[in-house]
């Protein structure tokens, strides 16, 4: 994998700035706390009605689909992104129960970039956690050498 570049850092910071937008912040909070649909049909009938909830739903899902596209296409260094967030995983978890129904209704690739990014992120975390735990169970490092006292 390529090393992250200053352009990757700039893009990551820009995405963070976008996340700080008050409207998107409200949308993400709503999606993670108040949005609890039982099915895609409920989403269509209850939330996709030109209301605040409609806007919040679309803002949140389209933001993460956009980020997924940037990460999956290599525009943004994936490990640099994965090192700093976990909200994508939590947000995707809220989509799992209705995504198959939505894809059957809309298109088979609906939120596919988002899903692929989260799968890669979870695999990255598993690798990083295993490496970290392995390093913790390895033989302890020798204590640092003591420096001679000066007179």
């Amino acid at each position: 994998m390529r090393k992250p570049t200053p352009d990757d850092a700039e893009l990551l910071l820009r995405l963070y700035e976008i996340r700080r937008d008050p409207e998107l912040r409200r949308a993400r909070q709503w999606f993670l706390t108040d949005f609890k649909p039982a099915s895609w049909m409920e989403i269509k009938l209850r939330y996709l009605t030109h209301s605040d909830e409609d806007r919040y739903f679309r803002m949140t899902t389209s933001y993460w689909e956009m980020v997924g596209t940037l990460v999956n296409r290599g525009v943004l260094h994936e490990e640099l992104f994965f090192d700093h967030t976990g909200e994508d995983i939590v947000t995707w978890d809220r989509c799992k129960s209705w995504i198959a129904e939505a894809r059957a209704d809309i298109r088979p690739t609906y939120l596919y970039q988002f899903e692929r990014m989260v799968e890669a992120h979870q695999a990255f975390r598993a690798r990083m956690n295993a490496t970290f735990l392995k390093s913790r169970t390895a033989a302890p490092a020798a204590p640092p050498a003591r420096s001679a006292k000066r007179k």
Side-chain angles (χ1 to χ4, degrees):
M1 170 167 279
R2 70 177 175 83
K3 285 183 64 169
T5 66
D7 288 340
D8 289 306
E10 283 295 323
L11 180 53
L12 185 64
L13 291 170
R14 179 67 182 122
L15 291 173
Y16 184 74
E17 286 175 22
I18 293 169
R19 285 178 63 193
R20 292 179 55 222
D21 173 81
E23 187 73 3
L24 182 55
R25 189 166 277 195
R26 276 190 295 280
R28 291 175 20 249
Q29 179 184 7
W30 170 84
F31 198 92
L32 293 174
T33 59
D34 299 333
F35 179 64
K36 298 174 183 167
S39 67
W40 175 246
M41 187 56 67
E42 179 184 350
I43 292 170
K44 285 176 65 172
L45 296 175
R46 181 175 174 189
Y47 297 109
L48 302 185
T49 58
H50 305 290
S51 62
D52 286 343
E53 290 85 4
D54 180 6
R55 190 172 68 255
Y56 293 166
F57 175 85
R58 292 174 194 275
M59 286 179 78
T60 302
T61 55
S62 65
Y63 173 81
W64 287 114
E65 182 73 355
M66 175 190 67
V67 173
T69 300
L70 295 172
V71 169
N72 296 339
R73 302 279 185 195
V75 175
L76 175 59
H77 190 276
E78 71 177 17
E79 290 182 357
L80 185 67
F81 177 74
F82 297 159
D83 273 340
H84 104 78
T85 190
E87 185 179 336
D88 57 317
I89 294 171
V90 176
T91 304
W92 177 253
D93 196 53
R94 303 289 294 212
C95 301
K96 287 191 219 177
S97 65
W98 50 262
I99 193 65
E101 194 180 352
R103 286 176 176 164
D105 186 42
I106 301 173
R107 67 181 178 282
T109 58
Y110 179 64
L111 300 182
Y112 177 65
Q113 296 297 334
F114 181 21
E115 179 182 31
R116 281 185 54 218
M117 177 186 67
V118 169
E119 289 171 352
H121 191 166
Q122 290 171 320
F124 170 79
R125 279 196 173 176
R127 286 189 311 274
M128 294 303 292
N129 289 340
T131 300
F132 178 80
L133 292 173
K134 186 177 178 182
S135 73
R136 292 294 185 160
T137 59
R146 297 178 112 176
S147 61
K149 290 186 180 181
R150 295 187 175 180
K151 293 183 182 183

